C-alpha cells in the first residue's frame, strides 16, 4: 500500500488565488512527521512546511499552511495568494518509525501551474 | 552557509560501466539519504546513513548498488555494471538528525544517463 498518496497529478490556479494540494498518508505509528517540499524546474527540492503528529495546531509558514486532519489521515497544503513562482512540483512526505530513525517516504507529487 | 553538494552534476556512461556519485552533506548533519528520481516520478528511497553506518539499505534496487559514508561526512553511491534503467536523477539529502521533525536539505542531484 502507498504510504503517501497525492491524487492530483496536475493542478492549475489563477495568480493571486488560493490552491489546495491534497495528501493522504497511511501509518500505524503514533509518532510521525509530515512535510511538504517544492521542486521547481531547476530540480532542487526545497522544504516548505512541517507538521508533527502531536501538534494540535495547523502549521503555517508565510503563504503556506498545512490543513492537518489526523482522523482522516490527510495533510493538505494550502497556498494562499498564488504567485507565478509557485509553479513547480510539490511533494508530500512522511517520517515514521521508532527507535529514533525516521525514514522519509514521498508521494508521487503534484504539478502546480500558476496562470497569470 | 554551504548546502548539500553533489558531484558530478551530470554523468553520461556506457552500459556495463561502473559509476561513482558523491555527496557532501551539510557539516554536522548526522543523517544522510540517497534517493532516485526517474523522469516525472516521485522520490525512490535507496539508502540511509546514521553517522557512518547504514541501518536501512532496503531501497537498494539490486546488488549492483552500494554506498558508503566515511568520517560521518562524505558519501559515495556506486553503481556497478550500469544498465539503461539506472538512468535517473540521484538526489542526496542530509538532516541534522534522523528525528521525526527534522527536515531534509537536498543537493542539486546528479543526472545519470546510461547509453
Amino acid at each position: 500500500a502507498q504510504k503517501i498518496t497525492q491524487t492530483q497529478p496536475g493542478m492549475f490556479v489563477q495568480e493571486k488565488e488560493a490552491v489546495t494540494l491534497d495528501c493522504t498518508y497511511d501509518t500505524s505509528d503514533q509518532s510521525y512527521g509530515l512535510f511538504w517540499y517544492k521542486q521547481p524546474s531547476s530540480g532542487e527540492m526545497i522544504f516548505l512546511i512541517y507538521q508533527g503528529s502531536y501538534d494540535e495546531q495547523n502549521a503555517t509558514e508565510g503563504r503556506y499552511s498545512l490543513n492537518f486532519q489526523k482522523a482522516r489521515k490527510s495533510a493538505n497544503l494550502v497556498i494562499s495568494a498564488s504567485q507565478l513562482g509557485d509553479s513547480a512540483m510539490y511533494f508530500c512526505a512522511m517520517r515514521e518509525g521508532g527507535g529514533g530513525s525516521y525514514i522519509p517516504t514521498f508521494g508521487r507529487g503534484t504539478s502546480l501551474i500558476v496562470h497569470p | 552557509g554551504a548546502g548539500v553538494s553533489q558531484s558530478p552534476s551530470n554523468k553520461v556512461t556506457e552500459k556495463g560501466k561502473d559509476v561513482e556519485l558523491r555527496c557532501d552533506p551539510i557539516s554536522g548533519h548526522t543523517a544522510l539519504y540517497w534517493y532516485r528520481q526517474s523522469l516525472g516520478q516521485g522520490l525512490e528511497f535507496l539508502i540511509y546513513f546514521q553517522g557512518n553506518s547504514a541501518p536501512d539499505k532496503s531501497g537498494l534496487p539490486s546488488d549492483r548498488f552500494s554506498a558508503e559514508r566515511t568520517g560521518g561526512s562524505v558519501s559515495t553511491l556506486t553503481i556497478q555494471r550500469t544498465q539503461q534503467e539506472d538512468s535517473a536523477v540521484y538526489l542526496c539529502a542530509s538532516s541534522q538528525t534522523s528525528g521525526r521533525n527534522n527536515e531534509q536539505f537536498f543537493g542539486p542531484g546528479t543526472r545519470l544517463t546510461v547509453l
Side-chain angles (χ1 to χ4, degrees), chain A residues 25-65:
Chain A
Y25 58 92
D26 181 26
T27 182
S28 56
D29 288 345
Q30 296 301 309
S31 176
Y32 52 90
L34 297 157
F35 301 79
W36 277 92
Y37 291 84
K38 171 184 178 182
Q39 188 178 40
S41 55
S42 60
E44 195 159 347
M45 295 279 284
I46 302 165
F47 165 73
L48 296 178
I49 195 166
Y50 161 80
Q51 179 88 39
S53 59
Y54 296 121
D55 297 339
E56 293 186 357
Q57 301 259 355
N58 285 343
T60 59
E61 289 285 348
R63 294 185 299 110
Y64 304 109
S65 60

Side-chain angles (χ1 to χ4, degrees), chain A residues 31-33 35 37 39 42-45 47 50 52-54 89 91 95 100-109, chain B residues 4 31 33 35 37 40-43 45 48 50 55-56 91 95 97-108:
Chain A
S31 176
Y32 52 90
F35 301 79
Y37 291 84
Q39 188 178 40
S42 60
E44 195 159 347
M45 295 279 284
F47 165 73
Y50 161 80
S53 59
Y54 296 121
M89 284 290 293
F91 291 95
R95 276 197 188 254
S101 294
Y102 292 83
I103 306 298
T105 45
F106 286 76
R108 290 182 173 270
Chain B
V4 178
Y33 308 81
Y35 295 90
Q37 187 175 29
Q41 299 295 311
L43 273 67
F45 169 76
Y48 144 72
Q50 179 59 44
D56 192 332
L91 290 167
S95 61
T97 72
S98 58
R100 67 178 177 97
N101 62 340
N102 279 196
E103 75 266 29
Q104 294 170 296
F105 295 83
F106 283 81

Side-chain angles (χ1 to χ4, degrees), chain A residues 44, chain B residues 1-6 23-33 69 71-75 92-97 103-107:
Chain A
E44 195 159 347
Chain B
V4 178
S5 61
Q6 291 185 247
C23 172
D24 272 284
I26 291 173
S27 177
H29 280 195
T30 62
L32 185 147
Y33 308 81
R69 188 180 185 194
S73 181
V74 171
S75 175
C92 174
S94 70
S95 61
Q96 196 163 20
T97 72
E103 75 266 29
Q104 294 170 296
F105 295 83
F106 283 81

Side-chain angles (χ1 to χ4, degrees), chain A residues 81-107:
Chain A
S82 298
Q83 301 172 357
L84 296 178
D86 294 336
S87 295
M89 284 290 293
Y90 287 81
F91 291 95
C92 179
M94 174 174 64
R95 276 197 188 254
E96 59 171 344
S101 294
Y102 292 83
I103 306 298
T105 45
F106 286 76

Side-chain angles (χ1 to χ4, degrees), chain A residues 59-72:
Chain A
T60 59
E61 289 285 348
R63 294 185 299 110
Y64 304 109
S65 60
L66 202 151
N67 184 1
F68 181 45
Q69 298 187 42
K70 195 170 181 177
R72 298 179 63 180

